[in-house]
Amino acid sequence: DQIIEGFRPGQLITVGAGTGVGKSAFAVNLALNITNQGYKVGLWSFEMDKQEVYQRIISNITGICRKDKRYLEERYNAVKEYFKENKHNIQVFTDRIKDLESFYLLCRKCSIKANMKVIIIDYVQLIHLSGFTGLNRVSEIELITKTLKNMASELGITVIILSQLSREYQKRENKQPILSDLRDSGSIEQDSNLVIFLHRQDDYPLMLKDYEKIITVIVAKNRDGRSGSFVLKYQGNITKFKEE
């Protein structure tokens, strides 16, 4: 928030990272932080089923790993209390997006009837449109990002898309992501108000447990303000990002 001054209605926001860095976990953390501020979130997850997403949410809110048998009852009671108060605040969808018009109508309905203000899509390269007649994958992604950008503006909501990075960045000596690393299309960068990268710091001078990572969060593009970076610790056992 100190860098971007918060997410805003009408924005298309891209969160990019390589495989295994923690994009999906970051999406869960974003969703929870947004609901804690009183907003409702729709989370489209294409790699995890609903049970897996909710298990990650539960681990995050309880601080208890689901594999830790010692605190199962405590975890269960905390979950029951949380969902009694917040069960409608995060709605998880796992059906693939194949038709942008139908997706737009669903988001419009959720925005009006359920007051859903934020949409998170994990992740954009897994959207494949049925009956797409464009020339190639690049033009398909261009259509997707343009539609999502227009949808954010027209419905007055925030749309956050997760994006894979091209494998080319792994071949560089400096593996810190740059805007040209966004996979499949320059339209992701062009249409986004904000582009945020997650970069794993393997050389960070800090003793870590085997389930912990140090992640640099890089605001690489900010159409409405400044760029910058900061460091978070990711605790993989409870799917939680914390300020270092």
Side-chain angles (χ1 to χ4, degrees):
D1 284 350
Q2 290 176 5
I3 297 173
I4 67 171
E5 298 179 357
F7 298 148
R8 300 171 196 167
Q11 287 185 326
L12 176 65
I13 295 158
T14 295
V15 178
T19 303
V21 174
K23 290 189 304 299
S24 297
F26 194 73
V28 167
N29 279 253
L30 283 178
L32 285 168
N33 288 342
I34 290 164
T35 58
N36 286 340
Q37 297 173 58
Y39 300 100
K40 295 185 179 180
V41 176
L43 174 57
W44 270 259
S45 173
F46 304 140
E47 287 198 306
M48 298 183 290
D49 60 22
K50 288 186 181 181
Q51 183 178 2
E52 175 65 23
V53 175
Y54 281 119
Q55 287 289 356
R56 288 184 171 215
I57 290 172
I58 290 163
S59 295
N60 189 296
I61 61 176
T62 62
I64 301 170
C65 176
R66 64 175 165 177
K67 295 179 181 178
D68 194 336
K69 307 298 184 187
R70 297 170 298 170
Y71 301 105
L72 287 180
E73 185 176 354
E74 186 179 337
R75 178 180 161 102
Y76 172 77
N77 290 333
V79 169
K80 197 162 76 167
E81 188 65 28
Y82 173 82
F83 282 106
K84 187 167 71 174
E85 301 294 329
N86 301 279
K87 64 179 179 180
H88 298 302
N89 287 351
I90 299 179
Q91 190 168 351
V92 178
F93 302 85
T94 55
D95 294 337
R96 295 291 179 99
I97 299 169
K98 297 180 180 179
D99 175 9
L100 291 174
E101 185 176 352
S102 298
F103 179 67
Y104 175 92
L105 292 174
L106 175 58
C107 291
R108 184 175 183 273
K109 178 182 175 183
C110 290
S111 173
I112 294 171
K113 293 192 173 181
N115 200 30
M116 191 177 286
K117 295 300 184 186
V118 179
I119 302 296
I120 302 175
I121 298 172
D122 181 14
Y123 55 93
V124 69
Q125 282 84 10
L126 291 178
I127 300 176
H128 294 275
L129 304 178
S130 57
F132 177 71
T133 56
L135 295 174
N136 51 37
R137 181 60 175 160
V138 170
S139 57
E140 185 178 18
I141 292 288
E142 286 175 356
L143 175 62
I144 291 167
T145 59
K146 188 179 182 66
T147 302
L148 294 176
K149 171 64 178 172
N150 290 339
M151 186 179 80
S153 179
E154 290 170 16
L155 299 182
I157 62 176
T158 305
V159 178
I160 302 170
I161 57 174
L162 276 58
S163 176
Q164 279 279 28
L165 300 183
S166 164
R167 294 187 185 276
E168 291 300 310
Y169 87 101
Q170 292 284 7
K171 300 175 183 177
R172 297 197 303 262
E173 186 175 346
N174 181 0
K175 294 179 173 54
Q176 181 169 303
I178 56 177
L179 290 169
S180 59
D181 292 326
L182 290 167
R183 200 175 107 192
D184 289 336
S185 176
S187 70
I188 299 175
E189 174 198 342
Q190 181 179 323
D191 291 329
S192 298
N193 298 80
L194 275 166
V195 177
I196 299 168
F197 290 123
L198 307 179
H199 176 51
R200 180 173 175 171
Q201 293 287 115
D202 291 322
D203 57 348
Y204 200 76
L206 184 71
M207 292 295 291
L208 298 174
K209 298 183 175 68
D210 57 1
Y211 54 78
E212 294 178 329
K213 302 176 188 174
I214 296 297
I215 303 294
T216 300
V217 182
I218 304 161
V219 180
K221 175 186 175 181
N222 184 0
R223 188 172 288 164
D224 303 310
R226 66 189 181 93
S227 57
S229 64
F230 57 95
V231 171
L232 296 176
K233 181 190 283 186
Y234 172 54
Q235 295 180 258
N237 61 329
I238 58 172
T239 326
K240 194 176 187 73
F241 283 83
K242 300 173 72 174
E243 288 188 87
E244 247 303 283

